[in-house]
Amino acid sequence: MRYSLLTLLVLMLSAVAGQQSVPGDPYTVGQSPRGLVIDGQPRVLTTGAIHYPRSAPAMWDSLMKKAKLGGLNTIDTYVFWNMHEPNKGEYDFYTDRANLPLFLQTAQENGLFVVLRVGPYVCAEWNYGGFPQWLRHEPGIVFRTYSAPFMREMRRFIAKVVDVTKPYMPEHGGPIIAMQIENEYGDHQRDFGHDGDLFADWCGQTAQQFNLSVPWIMCQQYYRVDGVIPTVNGFYCDQKLQQFHRDNPVLPAMWTEMWPGWFQRWGEAAPHRPIEDIAYAVAKWFARGGTTVSYYMYHGGTNFGRTSGPFIMTSYDYDGFIDEYGLENWPKYLHLQALHRLLLEHEQFITGNDVPKPVKLAGSDAATAYAYGTDSDYFAFLINSDSSNSIKIKFDGLTQQLPPWSVTLVRRSKQDKQPNVLYNTAQLSKLIKRAQRHPPRFETISSGLSTDNIHWRPLSQAGVPTITAKRPVEQISVTDDKTDYLWYRTKVSLPSECGSLDAAHAKTLVLHDAGDVATVSFNGEFVGMQHGQQDRLATFTFDVPPSMLRLGKGNNNTEVEISILSQTLGMAHNQQNMEAYSRGLLGAITLCGRDITKGKWEMQPGLEGEHLPAQTQDTHAWERYDPQQQLAYPQQMRWYAIELDSQILAEQASGDEPARYAIDMASMSKGQIWINGFHLGRYWLRRAPLASDYAPCRRCTYNGAFHPDKMCRQHCGELSQRYYHLPRSYLRLPESSDGSARVRNMLYVLEELDGRPEHISIAQRISQLPLQEPELPRERRHCSWLLGTLVAVCGAAVLVGVGTLLFKALKQWRERRGYSRIHTDDSSLAE
């Protein structure tokens, strides 16, 4: 996007004001009731989650810079065990998206602190909650409880992470200011009984044994554990503060997961949380004594490859402040940026005083004030928790109408006769309202693909079975989760019931307790595909065409070959006894009502060619794509090799702002995609429910308790995910845009059902800050000369004002140490 001069100056002002952050020299980190103590000063921490495996390393610097401009002073991230130790004892901390040291270094270079959430259980809607597959094979292991094999391996991995991250600790001037062990264990501790209590205590003791210079935390930890700071997660957490301060009088209140959005499953409408409600929840948290907030997620990113949890989409956008493609979600970004600025500017009031007692306003229990400071010099939060009504209040000489479900921030200095209103969580600037009318969008830059650049071949189902057994074998024990796919094949004599006209013997194949997806063929002919929901097992019932069930004369036995392709869509990320998680064909299998579970079954993991896209494939042996020929073979699994138009990509990349690319897969059905050998992820063109059929699509207001299953779902009736992130760093772009140097970008598509690859297109993600509305029609421009004059005069005045602010910011920066406050004034951007 291109910024106006005014916008650039404001952003420059923000950058200058926020320069001094991570000291660079050795410093100390401690804890107090009023915040983490950094170099002797308790701090307000505005934190956002950015997970390094969910974005390309080339994006990290830009994400950090935008987070800081958005008013953050800290980044948090999980550490993903199955990414760093895919095979026992074989570590990877330095390649591509696994490069944790580079991520930490990037944060440090941008002056941002880091909270490192080691876990190693992370949940995060991540495949298997971050656990590596080999862990389940350790003899006698039980995950996340007082199990000697589990605790041994958990401690060994944490020790490795500590060793890798030591150069980034405070004593070396690094950005890490806190570490987390385990994750949301309070939700499951009681499920394990006494062993759960022992394990929680062990976590605290183990953390302390590493003798680090930073505190350890345990999030969502309801039960006391010595040696760690218990922290909270949720949509709202201010209601937990009073009890927290009673139970933990010497510890800071930290909100490790403030959920400003939500994740999305295939077939769901997009979650959205109103920005007024986010600001309300955060302001109430600080009003009532909180000192740290962390947004989960600030930038959600992408579940590349096979990293998502069960039925979680490849996009992990999370309705974040910075979208999946690294572009600002402007309304959310700007509204909370203004709040962060005020919290950081008034940090000394918040952390330098005890939590004030609430003062009732206007005789209403819904209206309260929390003032930090003295009677004549304070920073205060005026809260109206009534979700329906405004309340007129008087506070220290100020008469103010408090909108419903809002917090008003006011400041009075010794020179003021009454407090000044700084911000209200429910009131949006003109700029933000304008940005809401111009949401991010995709623009197609290639309307389709030339069939000359598409080759294809059918998927070969032939292969040597890995296992032969008397009944189907559980899927993950065979695949070890190295593939989504497992073939189950058997030959059976058709039951006589298949020839019966009795409705009790319907011509069906029924798979009981199966998951997650099953595709069935009879004698090589496609019957159908069915899928479950979330991470629950399902019963799949397939109607088999009578033509596939023809018995011999006199109902003599006729043999039929049944092929069932079972597919996982990510492994459990949040449940008890994850070591026993199972998928595939687990229950009885019946054909025309007769049980055929027992017999001779062959199992073959993976799909032919599944791992070839990581190499250079020779497409000369493939057929050139012919749309008419494809129509003759519907529902046939196949590979497509597609050469993208690199020239178009190069032309888009030549602008001032780097282009953000996506692949539009609306013409396809379901499968997986690779670009130049990099696995972009799964795709599935499932449609969200219509608004008429789904109540959360029909109701969305900011005033009232938010939950994504009850309100504010968007894009109802549309494809859940049509566009798939195509990171620039995984493309081969010409060094010049004149086409003199030819490069190839190969897209490989594994289609499981049916599609029209010639309609796949490349799109560009656009998110512009609309400083002006589109021009009025010509007949309404009769006063345009006067408007132009006024704009010019106002513009000059604003530039003078910004220059003055810039000078003041530079002066203050020289006088301060530690985090300087961000001075981006959203109201200066409003008309």
Side-chain angles (χ1 to χ4, degrees):
M1 79 200 73
R2 291 175 174 80
Y3 295 108
S4 70
L5 177 60
L6 172 60
T7 308
L8 286 172
L9 284 173
V10 172
L11 293 179
M12 287 170 58
L13 178 61
S14 300
V16 170
Q19 283 297 313
Q20 179 93 4
S21 303
V22 178
D25 296 326
Y27 62 101
T28 60
V29 179
Q31 60 195 47
S32 78
R34 298 306 302 135
L36 288 186
V37 179
I38 299 175
D39 253 2
Q41 296 295 322
R43 305 304 299 269
V44 164
L45 297 179
T46 50
T47 308
I50 299 176
H51 294 164
Y52 53 97
R54 284 178 158 141
S55 54
M59 297 172 62
W60 293 345
D61 184 66
S62 173
L63 293 173
M64 302 280 189
K65 283 179 167 57
K66 291 180 178 182
K68 189 165 186 178
L69 285 174
L72 300 192
N73 56 24
T74 307
I75 298 297
D76 96 10
T77 183
Y78 284 124
V79 177
F80 297 82
W81 191 355
N82 52 11
M83 170 163 273
H84 294 299
E85 193 181 6
N87 300 304
K88 187 174 181 178
E90 298 177 8
Y91 298 104
D92 178 9
F93 283 94
Y94 299 98
T95 66
D96 197 44
R97 295 176 298 115
N99 198 333
L100 176 58
L102 177 61
F103 184 81
L104 297 173
Q105 180 182 331
T106 305
Q108 181 172 350
E109 291 171 351
N110 282 281
L112 292 163
F113 293 128
V114 172
V115 174
L116 196 65
R117 305 176 70 186
V118 181
Y121 167 72
V122 299
C123 183
E125 294 73 58
W126 186 266
N127 191 49
Y128 215 24
F131 289 135
Q133 271 301 309
W134 58 262
L135 189 65
R136 63 190 273 137
H137 302 308
E138 294 294 304
I141 197 166
V142 182
F143 289 2
R144 304 184 68 199
T145 189
Y146 200 71
S147 162
F150 180 76
M151 294 186 296
R152 178 191 69 233
E153 297 305 324
M154 175 175 165
R155 192 187 195 288
R156 184 179 59 80
F157 179 71
I158 294 175
K160 181 65 177 180
V161 174
V162 168
D163 183 59
V164 169
T165 58
K166 269 187 179 178
Y168 303 95
M169 294 293 175
E171 62 268 28
H172 302 293
I176 297 175
I177 56 172
M179 304 272 275
Q180 177 177 304
I181 191 168
E182 242 295 327
N183 187 53
E184 300 178 325
Y185 194 63
D187 292 338
H188 296 282
Q189 183 171 332
R190 286 293 180 258
D191 296 336
F192 291 103
H194 182 57
D195 280 353
D197 298 336
L198 291 175
F199 176 68
D201 290 338
W202 175 86
C203 287
Q205 296 163 8
T206 299
Q208 292 306 304
Q209 289 170 4
F210 288 107
N211 295 316
L212 298 183
S213 57
V214 299
W216 286 83
I217 65 175
M218 285 183 73
C219 80
Q220 207 77 327
Q221 185 55 43
Y222 313 129
Y223 314 105
R224 182 177 179 83
V225 174
D226 292 334
V228 301
I229 302 172
T231 69
V232 293
N233 300 349
F235 291 108
Y236 308 91
C237 284
D238 63 281
Q239 72 279 8
K240 303 176 183 179
L241 283 168
Q242 189 173 12
Q243 182 68 41
F244 175 87
H245 291 308
R246 280 200 299 263
D247 295 344
N248 306 279
V250 298
L251 298 180
M254 302 176 67
W255 191 356
T256 34
E257 290 189 18
M258 190 287 170
W259 301 326
W262 202 240
F263 60 88
Q264 188 176 1
R265 298 182 179 92
W266 304 109
E268 290 183 342
H272 169 72
R273 186 174 183 182
I275 57 178
E276 301 96 329
D277 181 59
I278 298 169
Y280 169 76
V282 172
K284 279 189 74 177
W285 168 259
F286 282 97
R288 300 181 68 176
T291 60
T292 295
V293 64
S294 182
Y295 300 100
Y296 186 100
M297 303 285 298
Y298 197 78
H299 162 74
T302 307
N303 290 317
F304 294 115
R306 301 174 53 252
T307 58
S308 64
F311 289 87
I312 304 298
M313 292 190 339
T314 296
S315 172
Y316 197 68
D317 184 82
Y318 221 90
D319 192 28
F321 298 77
I322 303 174
D323 73 9
E324 177 183 5
Y325 296 80
L327 298 174
E328 295 91 341
N329 181 349
W330 284 113
K332 185 172 289 189
Y333 184 87
L334 291 174
H335 192 49
L336 274 296
Q337 178 195 57
L339 177 58
H340 301 153
R341 170 181 63 82
L342 292 168
L343 294 171
L344 294 175
E345 278 187 349
H346 298 92
E347 177 182 72
Q348 292 182 354
F349 286 96
I350 297 172
T351 63
N353 293 279
D354 293 334
V355 181
K357 293 183 179 179
V359 176
K360 185 182 293 189
L361 302 174
S364 171
D365 291 335
T368 52
Y370 292 82
Y372 287 83
T374 65
D375 290 343
S376 59
D377 189 16
Y378 59 78
F379 178 61
F381 301 81
L382 312 181
I383 301 171
N384 178 7
S385 57
D386 189 314
S387 62
S388 302
N389 303 302
S390 296
I391 299 177
K392 187 175 183 179
I393 60 98
K394 290 185 178 180
F395 177 76
D396 195 16
L398 173 70
T399 299
Q400 190 73 12
Q401 194 81 17
L402 302 183
W405 203 256
S406 74
V407 180
T408 300
L409 277 59
V410 300
R411 168 79 170 97
R412 179 180 178 181
S413 68
K414 293 179 179 179
Q415 293 75 35
D416 296 324
K417 293 183 179 180
Q418 65 180 34
N420 296 300
V421 175
L422 304 177
Y423 176 90
N424 179 271
T425 60
Q427 294 175 344
L428 307 182
S429 71
K430 290 182 180 179
L431 177 64
I432 292 173
K433 291 179 180 178
R434 196 182 306 130
Q436 288 179 324
R437 294 192 292 270
H438 300 274
R441 66 188 187 279
F442 290 97
E443 288 186 355
T444 300
I445 60 177
S446 71
S447 58
L449 301 172
S450 168
T451 55
D452 291 340
N453 294 331
I454 305 174
H455 292 78
W456 79 284
R457 63 180 177 83
L459 181 80
S460 172
Q461 296 187 19
V464 178
T466 302
I467 294 177
T468 301
K470 294 182 179 179
R471 62 176 300 146
V473 177
E474 190 276 326
Q475 179 166 345
I476 298 170
S477 65
V478 180
T479 65
D480 210 24
D481 197 38
K482 290 181 169 59
T483 174
D484 285 352
Y485 307 100
L486 179 65
W487 288 104
Y488 292 92
R489 296 189 181 94
T490 189
K491 291 182 179 180
V492 299
S493 296
L494 283 179
S496 58
E497 292 87 344
C498 291
S500 171
L501 298 178
D502 187 347
H505 301 295
K507 296 176 174 57
T508 58
L509 177 74
V510 182
L511 312 178
H512 295 272
D513 294 330
D516 296 316
V517 182
T519 304
V520 172
S521 299
F522 271 53
N523 292 329
E525 293 186 56
F526 177 81
V527 173
M529 186 195 82
Q530 293 191 28
H531 58 82
Q533 296 291 337
Q534 299 184 26
D535 56 358
R536 297 187 292 269
L537 294 173
T539 295
F540 300 141
T541 300
F542 296 88
D543 293 319
V544 184
S547 61
M548 299 182 186
L549 297 174
R550 289 176 180 157
L551 298 170
K553 292 182 179 181
N555 282 351
N556 291 329
N557 288 343
T558 302
E559 193 172 64
V560 62
E561 181 180 67
I562 302 174
S563 296
I564 303 169
L565 180 62
S566 178
Q567 180 183 355
T568 56
L569 286 175
M571 291 184 61
H573 57 90
N574 183 20
Q575 67 180 46
Q576 195 175 351
N577 301 121
M578 291 172 64
E579 71 284 346
Y581 185 77
S582 56
R583 278 299 177 267
L585 305 185
L586 305 179
I589 301 172
T590 62
L591 177 60
C592 300
R594 180 179 294 186
D595 192 329
I596 62 168
T597 312
K598 295 181 179 179
K600 181 181 179 182
W601 287 86
E602 296 178 344
M603 277 65 67
Q604 177 190 339
L607 296 180
E608 175 268 329
E610 183 181 358
H611 301 293
L612 288 180
Q615 308 167 14
T616 301
Q617 293 205 36
D618 181 7
T619 60
H620 292 296
W622 295 34
E623 296 183 44
R624 189 176 298 279
Y625 175 73
D626 180 348
Q628 296 305 314
Q629 183 184 31
Q630 294 284 296
L631 292 175
Y633 301 97
Q635 288 90 38
Q636 180 186 43
M637 299 182 71
R638 63 198 76 184
W639 282 102
Y640 295 104
I642 304 169
E643 183 174 358
L644 301 182
D645 189 335
S646 299
Q647 190 61 33
I648 290 179
L649 296 171
E651 290 170 359
Q652 298 297 320
S654 62
D656 295 335
E657 174 76 6
R660 315 301 171 106
Y661 299 116
I663 294 290
D664 182 351
M665 299 293 289
S667 65
M668 306 302 285
S669 296
K670 184 179 180 299
Q672 301 188 33
I673 44 177
W674 290 257
I675 182 70
N676 297 330
F678 176 78
H679 194 179
L680 294 175
R682 305 178 180 101
Y683 69 88
W684 194 359
L685 283 301
R686 285 191 67 190
R687 199 166 290 277
L690 295 171
S692 58
D693 299 330
Y694 190 51
C697 292
R698 301 193 299 271
R699 175 177 177 263
C700 189
T701 60
Y702 84 85
N703 48 320
F706 171 83
H707 194 281
D709 291 340
K710 296 181 180 179
M711 61 196 305
C712 293
R713 291 284 178 159
Q714 297 184 331
H715 305 296
C716 303
E718 300 178 18
L719 296 172
S720 290
Q721 186 173 357
R722 171 177 176 173
Y723 297 94
Y724 294 79
H725 188 194
L726 190 61
R728 288 170 50 83
S729 54
Y730 298 132
L731 294 170
R732 303 180 185 123
L733 298 176
E735 294 183 3
S736 62
S737 59
D738 60 5
S740 57
R742 174 170 169 74
V743 296
R744 299 183 72 196
N745 284 286
M746 295 300 300
L747 185 75
Y748 290 97
V749 179
L750 171 60
E751 173 57 55
E752 299 170 11
L753 290 172
D754 194 13
R756 298 297 296 272
E758 71 273 23
H759 297 308
I760 292 174
S761 61
I762 304 170
Q764 185 175 352
R765 179 71 166 174
I766 305 292
S767 180
Q768 292 180 321
L769 180 60
L771 296 178
Q772 294 181 343
E773 295 282 14
E775 273 192 329
L776 296 174
R778 185 175 300 275
E779 61 269 18
R780 297 177 61 187
R781 296 188 205 165
H782 57 278
C783 293
S784 60
W785 64 272
L786 178 60
L787 179 61
T789 302
L790 289 173
V791 169
V793 172
C794 293
V798 171
L799 288 176
V800 172
V802 171
T804 302
L805 288 173
L806 181 60
F807 176 80
K808 289 181 179 179
L810 285 169
K811 182 179 178 181
Q812 292 172 356
W813 173 66
R814 295 182 183 188
E815 296 173 350
R816 286 200 301 251
R817 185 182 178 192
Y819 277 94
S820 294
R821 320 304 186 237
I822 291 181
H823 286 267
T824 300
D825 187 353
D826 186 53
S827 63
S828 71
L829 295 176
E831 296 178 343

